[in-house]
Amino acid sequence: MSIQSKIYVIAGSLLINACAPLSDPSEILAKPELSHMTLGDSFLSEFYQYDGPLTAPGLLLKKEPLGVTQANPGAGQNFRLLYSSTDGLDGEDLLHVSGVLFLPEGNAPTGGWPLMAWTHGTVGIADICAPSWNGRQQQDRDHLQFWLKNGFAVVASDYQGLGTPGTHPYLATRPEAYSNLDIIRAVQNSDFPVSDEVVLFGQSQGAGAAIATAAFATQYAPDVDIIGAVATGVPFFSPKALIALQESRPPDRVDPMLAYNMLALSLVQRTDSSFALSDYVSEEALPIAKSVENTCHKEVRAKVGAQALTYNRTFKKSPSDQLVTAFARMGYPTLNLPVPTFVGTGGKDKDTPLRMQAAFVKRACEAGSTIQSVLYPDLDHRGVVPGSTADTLPFVRSLFSEEKLLGNCQKLPF
């Protein structure tokens, strides 16, 4: 996923202020002014609907076997799940969220399969794009198969509003974190043979979601025993990175990745009832911007490229002011992470560039986090996922064996 394109439409000084780590997330996130728009909603099947009472977050509501399209290679059992969670936008209301659970082949060891929680990257905001319904891209399937074959169970949330009623709050980290924490609760408190401990792992936007899940856990779900996290291609909005990214993206260049901006605007529509897309997006680009309601990200991106859209042709005026609050929801509540965290960085990563990730690692180390940072000079944004498994597998095994990990903050590779 391109973090460059996500921030391209924002004025640097505004985004720097908005995306700094929040000293008290509740100050910004607890009482948003939410519209009642339901962008992206559609009926998938009865499974994704739930009319019963919701009494607490983290309860399993339904389960069913996955079909061939959604099942993952290497899994002995594949389940679609529906569970209760807390609305990550208002921090109060209960809602239902969908996801999946993949169990390895064979019999579970004593104590259950060691559990890993996968946080997915950008798929879109339309319900039809939910991975539990639409399946996953081949690289993700291969990556999850690697962990399944090595004896790990994998639980993965679709995230709030993706597959289930309500608009998915794209890239907002607290909804992602709450959805992740509650699917872990739902699985661990049911009869599935999984461990009481869990490791988080994700790539790109999913890496940000994994970091956010670890950061919110102490406050929201202290009962969830997270023992570590693995993140590759971590997004981090530092001032220097923003300047470099903005300078690298001329406003008159054809940019298919503007599709990310259109998804970001859906979060503004979700949280600001006064925002009208047509006030900012040109008539030429408006049909494509609106198509995020019923089209997955890959297809929207193709439309942007086919139309040869540039920033100047897409926006008739900048929505920077309206995006400030939305981007504030995409930051991390703290950089002092409570668990050891592996950060893998590709030296040829153009989506979350080296210095962006280096800034995150350095700031997290300064905040007191235990970081194991590894640089892969010849790998790009996607290549770092399979390219890091020789290091992430022993890291995760060390976590489950309760070895003390000290990290390498004193000798970073940057």
Side-chain angles (χ1 to χ4, degrees):
M1 152 183 343
S2 172
I3 301 303
Q4 295 175 350
S5 57
K6 291 174 193 168
I7 65 174
Y8 182 38
V9 301
I10 316 302
S13 60
L14 293 175
L15 187 55
I16 288 167
N17 292 331
C19 290
L22 305 173
S23 57
D24 183 1
S26 64
E27 292 181 2
I28 293 180
L29 301 175
K31 296 181 179 179
E33 299 222 354
L34 300 177
S35 72
H36 297 288
M37 302 186 69
T38 53
L39 302 174
D41 267 3
S42 61
F43 179 82
L44 301 181
S45 75
E46 288 292 346
F47 183 87
Y48 292 86
Q49 308 300 311
Y50 188 78
D51 297 326
L54 299 175
T55 58
L59 301 179
L60 183 64
L61 305 174
K62 297 181 186 180
K63 67 177 181 179
E64 69 178 12
L66 286 168
V68 174
T69 300
Q70 306 89 8
N72 210 87
Q77 296 184 77
N78 299 263
F79 296 100
R80 180 182 288 122
L81 308 177
L82 197 73
Y83 62 98
S84 59
S85 187
T86 304
D87 186 333
L89 288 177
D90 68 20
E92 297 177 0
D93 293 334
L94 294 178
L95 40 71
H96 61 275
V97 182
S98 55
V100 299
L101 174 66
F102 303 125
L103 297 179
E105 297 173 338
N107 297 319
T110 302
W113 298 110
L115 182 63
M116 297 185 67
W118 170 249
T119 51
H120 71 74
T122 297
V123 295
I125 66 164
D127 283 344
I128 58 171
C129 310
S132 72
W133 177 260
N134 196 41
R136 300 173 195 276
Q137 62 174 333
Q138 190 59 48
Q139 178 167 296
D140 288 353
R141 288 166 61 84
D142 292 342
H143 191 54
L144 298 187
Q145 181 180 15
F146 170 83
W147 291 100
L148 287 161
K149 288 295 187 182
N150 278 282
F152 296 90
V154 177
V155 65
S157 174
D158 287 330
Y159 306 148
Q160 174 182 332
L162 192 53
T164 50
T167 298
H168 169 53
Y170 176 66
L171 275 180
T173 52
R174 191 167 75 163
E176 290 171 344
Y178 285 9
S179 294
N180 293 333
L181 291 164
D182 283 323
I183 197 171
I184 295 168
R185 282 169 158 165
V187 166
Q188 290 181 330
N189 293 329
S190 300
D191 58 355
F192 298 111
V194 299
S195 64
D196 293 332
E197 299 173 326
V198 63
V199 171
L200 311 169
F201 70 128
Q203 155 71 3
S204 193
Q205 181 204 347
I211 297 298
T213 301
F216 277 107
T218 302
Q219 173 197 48
Y220 176 70
D223 54 306
V224 176
D225 190 3
I226 298 173
I227 59 174
V230 172
T232 52
V234 180
F236 183 61
F237 302 109
S238 69
K240 289 183 179 179
L242 284 172
I243 293 171
L245 290 174
Q246 289 175 326
E247 289 177 348
S248 71
R249 305 201 67 81
D252 57 353
R253 177 185 297 172
V254 175
D255 187 5
M257 292 186 291
L258 281 166
Y260 288 112
N261 298 115
M262 296 172 180
L263 286 173
L265 289 175
S266 73
L267 180 58
V268 179
Q269 291 175 274
R270 173 69 178 88
T271 56
D272 181 358
S273 59
S274 67
F275 179 81
L277 197 62
S278 59
D279 289 342
Y280 299 89
V281 178
S282 67
E283 292 184 7
E284 177 185 15
L286 190 60
I288 299 177
K290 287 184 175 181
S291 73
V292 302
E293 298 180 31
N294 52 28
T295 309
C296 298
H297 172 69
K298 182 179 179 180
E299 289 74 24
V300 175
R301 179 169 170 167
K303 291 179 182 180
V304 172
Q307 195 73 16
L309 291 180
T310 65
Y311 173 81
N312 286 341
R313 290 176 60 188
T314 299
F315 296 99
K316 54 188 179 184
K317 69 176 180 177
S318 173
S320 295
D321 290 343
Q322 288 71 26
L323 280 163
V324 169
T325 301
F327 272 85
R329 300 177 188 279
M330 301 176 189
Y332 308 125
T334 179
L335 294 178
N336 185 7
L337 303 177
V339 293
T341 301
F342 180 98
V343 179
T345 303
K348 295 183 178 180
D349 191 333
K350 295 181 180 180
D351 295 60
T352 50
L354 173 60
R355 63 170 162 172
M356 172 183 276
Q357 296 188 55
F360 167 78
V361 168
K362 291 174 182 176
R363 290 279 299 279
C365 284
E366 291 169 358
S369 298
T370 298
I371 302 293
Q372 181 66 39
S373 174
V374 179
L375 174 64
Y376 303 91
D378 298 325
L379 298 182
D380 61 13
H381 189 62
R382 290 176 57 82
V384 74
V385 179
S388 63
T389 52
D391 295 312
T392 56
L393 180 58
F395 178 83
V396 171
R397 283 178 170 163
S398 295
L399 293 170
F400 279 106
S401 64
E402 299 184 355
E403 294 180 27
K404 185 175 178 59
L405 298 176
L406 301 177
N408 62 344
C409 281
Q410 301 304 316
K411 194 175 180 180
L412 294 174
F414 307 110

